[in-house]
């Protein structure tokens, strides 16, 4: 895949949090502490381990407090930890903006400020161009998603706290607690309102990026997240030109939802969205909701038509979607995916030139947005076309 897979286009947003189990703790003799250290060189602390309910799986808190400016902890299974050496070996030679860049520094185009009713937020300190990198952060605490359901709360909290306390700068994480967080444990509260879905290898984890965490939600955002798999870095890109003094926002939830869906999805974060789309006059919200519902229906209809072997209908519907996305400011977020759909339909119809044209268009958008490295050449287009061949059968 080469450079094309460098960034993930999958949506990352503060997690709709997993439920930490709050059942009774296991009997004491089911707890197994400090096993042998698999590879001492990776970790600066003796791993602390606990077993899952039923004692079938072991999870440990591993820390390398020297990694990056804050240190790095992962709460995960031993085999996943062993595979994570590549992340630790990656040199972090970037200039690191302070987590509490309240004055604004020359290097960073943002500063952290108090925003009435929203806690701390991030504000641009100069004009930022579309697609420019606004912020670069690094995963500081990672937690295997299964850990949160498989280990009892009593033991789970103990590992989570060890993971945070062993960092070089625990306060960078502990300061993220939200006053409106409803979890009964401080670190759980922080994870619930700040973590991002983050794959470690191919194991689903949640991760804290303490600086990116300070960015508030916007339903009509001016920024978006770009994840780099190899380094566990999270980059924030400008979705459009941003003026000096503007608050930086990204959407915590998928784009394209109606107002009721947005409110429901945002509930775990404990605030009511007050962005321009959510606070518009009632008739405008109703009109936007109607357009979004229509888009969702068109999307469903296009998929059904394609799967039912009616490619011409899928083609017509996908074109309608693409024509309607700009009206709701959604071309940026959903355009690449729709162009790929269009390419796929043309591929199935055996129309080589059109298929290639739209693959190129979809990939071009990804490069422009900073998800992939460019330029888009023959090889990159070929990779997508062979994926189509695999999934749809060879058509030409
Ligand atoms: C990831 S944190 C964002 C940074 C946070 N404001 C802080 O002080 O650290 C998420 C929390 O910020 C607050 N928040 C985020 N977006 C908001 C918004 N649009 N309006 C009000 N509160 C918001 C909520 O308390 C939410 O649980």
């Amino acid at each position: 895949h080469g450079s094309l897979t460098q960034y993930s286009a999958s949506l990352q947003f503060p997690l709709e949090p997993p439920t930490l189990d709050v059942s009774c703790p296991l009997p004491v003799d089911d707890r197994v502490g400090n096993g042998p250290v698999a590879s001492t060189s990776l970790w600066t602390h003796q791993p602390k381990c606990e077993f899952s309910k039923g004692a079938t799986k072991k999870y440990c808190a591993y820390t390398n407090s020297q990694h990056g400016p804050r240190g790095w902890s992962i709460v995960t299974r031993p085999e996943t930890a062993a595979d994570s050496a590549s992340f630790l070996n990656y040199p972090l030679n970037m200039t690191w903006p302070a987590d509490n860049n309240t004055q604004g520094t020359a290097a960073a185009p943002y500063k952290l400020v108090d925003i009435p009713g929203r806690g701390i937020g991030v504000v641009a300190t100069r004009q930022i161009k579309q697609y420019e990198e606004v912020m670069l952060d690094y995963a500081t605490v990672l937690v295997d998603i299964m850990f949160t359901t498989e280990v009892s709360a009593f033991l789970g909290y103990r590992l989570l706290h060890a993971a945070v306390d062993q960092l070089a700068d625990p306060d960078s994480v502990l300061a993220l607690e939200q006053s409106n967080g409803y979890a009964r444990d401080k670190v759980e509260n922080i994870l619930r309102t700040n973590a991002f879905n983050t794959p470690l290898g191919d194991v689903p984890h949640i991760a804290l990026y303490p600086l990116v965490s300070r960015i508030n939600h916007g339903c009509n955002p001016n920024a978006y997240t770009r994840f780099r798999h190899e380094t566990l870095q999270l980059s924030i890109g400008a979705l459009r030109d941003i003026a000096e003094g503007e608050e930086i926002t990204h959407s915590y939830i998928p784009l394209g939802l109606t107002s009721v869906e947005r409110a429901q999805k945002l509930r775990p974060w404990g605030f009511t969205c007050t962005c321009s789309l959510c606070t518009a006059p009632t008739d405008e919200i109703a009109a936007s909701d109607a357009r979004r519902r229509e888009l969702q229906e068109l999307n469903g209809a296009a998929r059904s038509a394609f799967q039912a072997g009616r490619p011409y209908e899928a083609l017509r519907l996908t074109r309608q979607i693409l024509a309607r996305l700009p009206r709701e400011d959604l071309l940026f977020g959903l355009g690449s995916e729709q162009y790929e759909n269009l390419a796929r339909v043309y591929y199935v119809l055996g129309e080589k030139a059109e298929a290639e044209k739209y693959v190129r268009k979809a990939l071009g958008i990804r490069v422009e947005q900073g998800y992939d490295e460019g330029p888009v050449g023959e090889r990159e287009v070929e990779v997508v076309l062979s994926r189509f061949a695999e999934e749809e059968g060879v058509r030409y």
Side-chain angles (χ1 to χ4, degrees):
H1 291 61
S3 58
L4 276 178
T5 50
Q6 243 193 332
Y7 288 97
S8 162
S10 62
L11 284 166
Q12 294 111 31
F13 33 81
L15 179 86
E16 191 173 346
T19 320
L20 262 188
D21 182 79
V22 286
S23 62
C24 291
L26 287 172
V28 194
D29 60 1
D30 270 22
R31 182 180 165 251
V32 177
N34 309 331
V37 184
S39 166
T40 38
S41 60
L42 284 184
W43 315 114
T44 52
H45 291 64
Q46 178 82 9
K48 291 192 173 53
C49 304
E50 304 287 1
F51 274 88
S52 63
K53 289 170 278 186
T56 50
K57 285 190 197 161
K58 188 175 174 178
Y59 287 93
C60 308
Y62 301 88
T63 299
N64 185 319
S65 61
Q66 307 303 308
H67 189 57
R70 313 175 185 118
W72 196 59
S73 287
I74 55 179
V75 177
T76 196
R77 305 193 55 195
E79 49 274 34
T80 311
D83 290 343
S84 67
S86 63
F87 298 112
L88 287 168
N89 290 335
Y90 192 88
L92 285 182
N93 52 3
M94 58 199 200
T95 41
W96 201 280
D99 284 339
N100 55 356
N101 185 27
T102 48
Q103 305 306 310
T105 63
Y110 61 83
K111 65 177 176 183
L112 268 50
V113 296
D114 281 319
I115 307 219
R118 303 175 168 217
I120 292 174
V122 180
V123 167
T125 51
R126 61 166 169 79
Q127 211 215 347
I128 302 171
K129 288 261 166 254
Q130 186 180 37
Y131 303 136
E132 207 185 306
E133 183 159 87
V134 180
M135 189 186 267
L136 186 64
D137 204 356
Y138 198 88
T140 298
V141 175
L142 284 113
V143 179
D144 187 324
I145 286 187
M146 295 311 290
F147 163 83
T148 61
T149 55
E150 292 183 343
V151 175
S152 74
F154 178 76
L155 302 177
Y157 291 151
R158 193 142 68 191
L159 284 197
L160 290 179
H161 280 262
V164 173
D165 293 344
Q166 289 171 179
L167 293 170
D169 184 7
D171 284 343
S172 65
V173 167
L174 294 173
L176 298 173
E177 189 175 20
Q178 303 299 324
S179 51
N180 56 349
Y182 53 79
R184 66 177 193 179
D185 175 82
K186 186 180 172 89
V187 175
E188 182 191 1
N189 173 351
I190 291 166
L191 286 171
R192 279 180 179 273
T193 49
N194 292 280
F196 284 72
N197 283 297
T198 302
L200 187 59
D202 48 16
V203 185
H205 283 64
I206 55 175
L208 286 172
Y209 303 83
L211 189 56
V212 165
S213 268
R214 294 303 192 177
I215 302 178
N216 283 320
H217 162 82
C219 57
N220 216 342
N222 56 16
Y224 62 105
T225 59
R226 309 182 286 208
F227 179 60
R228 287 189 67 170
H229 280 280
E230 335 76 75
T231 58
L232 301 179
Q233 279 169 308
L234 193 58
S235 160
I236 298 296
L239 191 149
R240 52 175 168 77
D241 288 353
I242 299 172
E244 180 180 339
E246 227 185 294
E247 181 176 3
I248 314 282
T249 57
H250 73 92
S251 181
Y252 291 6
I253 55 175
L255 296 170
L257 302 179
T258 62
S259 55
V260 171
E261 292 166 335
R262 291 197 299 273
Q264 190 246 326
K265 286 243 188 248
L266 281 174
R267 210 162 290 147
W269 284 278
F271 68 91
T272 306
C273 183
T274 54
C275 85
S276 55
L277 189 59
C278 289
T279 53
T282 326
D283 55 332
E284 278 179 37
I285 294 181
S288 162
D289 282 347
R291 289 191 294 268
R292 284 165 180 243
R293 251 191 311 276
E294 189 197 17
L295 273 168
Q296 292 173 357
E297 281 160 15
L298 283 170
N299 205 33
R303 191 178 317 117
S304 308
F306 184 76
Q307 283 165 356
R310 300 192 302 271
Y312 287 105
E313 189 183 334
L315 191 63
R316 183 174 55 79
L317 293 165
T318 308
R319 287 198 171 281
Q320 284 179 17
I321 294 168
L322 275 162
R324 284 164 168 73
L325 287 178
R327 180 69 183 81
E328 278 300 295
D329 260 335
L330 291 171
L331 191 60
F332 178 93
L334 307 176
S336 173
E337 182 188 317
Q338 290 298 335
Y339 281 117
E340 184 177 315
N341 290 348
L342 204 56
R344 187 186 291 270
V345 182
Y346 277 119
Y347 176 83
V348 164
L349 287 171
E351 294 199 32
K352 187 167 187 278
E354 290 296 286
E356 284 179 11
K357 172 172 144 193
Y358 288 111
V359 167
R360 208 174 285 278
K361 178 105 185 159
L363 292 179
I365 293 175
R366 288 178 52 85
V367 169
E368 193 171 43
Q369 298 181 343
Y371 286 116
D372 296 331
E373 260 176 32
V376 178
E378 290 307 315
R379 218 180 122 258
E380 286 74 17
V381 174
E382 248 340 289
V383 169
V384 179
L385 292 174
S386 9
R387 181 156 51 78
F388 288 169
E390 234 166 72
E391 289 162 1
E392 314 297 344
V394 178
R395 297 301 172 114
Y396 55 77

